[in-house]
Amino acid sequence: MISAIEKEIVNLLENGDKKAITLLYENYADALYGVIRKVIIDENVAQDVLQESFVKIWRYAKKYDSSKAKLFTWLYRIAYNTSIDKVRSLKNKTGKEVQIETSAVYKITSNGLNEDVLDIKKHLSSLDEKYQIVINALFFEGMTQQEASDELNIPLGTIKSRLKIGLRELKKIYNP
């Protein structure tokens, strides 16, 4: 049985009403924080993850489908997955020290640079704009494919296709 407050929250979420986030926080923050703390021990990190979870909840609010899951189940999954993502990202960041002595970055000579690709931005402008946008985001702005998909509001599959086609077109320029 769905409670009256849950019905109201779902209705507000469907309509994009910002009051929904306040009600969600008032009614579910403690429970979600408990879920997060089972995964993340550090209190400060857990609080950050709770905030990230609410940002995701708001971002994906229109995707919530009450016929597929109860509201709390949907909220739980977002909080839990955000916690797992945070743990993974922290594991990736820790223990990876840059070894300057063994790095080849400072040893690049002008002989090591391929002069043919130094004008890549010039050649990039000869591509269709849709390919330029994706290649710029991925290579020059340093985004991941998922980040580019989110930022540009383009489906991930389309990002991958445009990247593949754009690179194929650039290859024709450099390897005629």
Side-chain angles (χ1 to χ4, degrees):
M1 176 126 180
I2 298 175
S3 69
I5 190 73
E6 189 173 334
K7 282 182 184 177
E8 182 180 356
I9 292 171
V10 170
N11 187 34
L12 291 170
L13 284 173
E14 288 172 350
N15 294 319
D17 190 326
K18 291 182 181 179
K19 185 180 177 191
I21 205 74
T22 303
L23 289 173
L24 280 168
Y25 194 85
E26 289 171 356
N27 290 282
Y28 296 101
D30 290 341
L32 295 177
Y33 185 70
V35 168
I36 293 165
R37 284 301 301 260
K38 288 185 187 287
V39 178
I40 297 177
I41 297 156
D42 185 299
E43 195 173 320
N44 291 325
V45 175
Q47 289 173 356
D48 289 344
V49 170
L50 180 64
Q51 185 175 358
E52 288 175 35
S53 297
F54 274 98
V55 169
K56 286 181 181 180
I57 289 164
W58 180 248
R59 185 181 306 146
Y60 301 121
K62 296 220 186 249
K63 293 183 179 184
Y64 172 67
D65 183 353
S66 59
S67 67
K68 291 183 180 177
K70 290 183 177 185
L71 181 61
F72 181 75
T73 305
W74 183 71
L75 297 171
Y76 173 93
R77 284 187 197 140
I78 291 174
Y80 181 77
N81 290 338
T82 304
S83 302
I84 298 296
D85 291 345
K86 180 60 83 174
V87 168
R88 287 180 183 150
S89 76
L90 291 173
K91 279 184 182 176
N92 285 336
K93 287 180 185 174
T94 58
K96 292 186 178 177
E97 228 179 274
V98 177
Q99 302 296 324
I100 294 175
E101 306 83 42
T102 60
S103 173
V105 172
Y106 297 108
K107 299 175 187 167
I108 292 178
T109 63
S110 60
N111 298 341
L113 296 174
N114 183 349
E115 293 177 18
D116 293 334
V117 297
L118 291 177
D119 60 349
I120 195 159
K121 286 207 174 204
K122 180 181 84 176
H123 290 299
L124 189 59
S125 65
S126 69
L127 299 179
D128 283 349
E129 186 178 5
K130 61 185 177 183
Y131 304 124
Q132 288 180 41
I133 291 169
V134 170
I135 291 173
N136 269 320
L138 297 174
F139 291 101
F140 299 112
E141 295 178 29
M143 292 183 193
T144 64
Q145 291 178 349
Q146 184 62 56
E147 289 169 340
S149 172
D150 294 342
E151 184 73 26
L152 300 171
N153 201 21
I154 299 172
L156 182 58
T158 305
I159 291 286
K160 291 178 180 191
S161 297
R162 288 182 183 175
L163 172 63
K164 184 178 179 181
I165 294 167
L167 291 176
R168 186 173 55 217
E169 293 302 309
L170 281 175
K171 187 176 180 184
K172 288 179 188 175
I173 293 168
Y174 289 106
N175 272 344

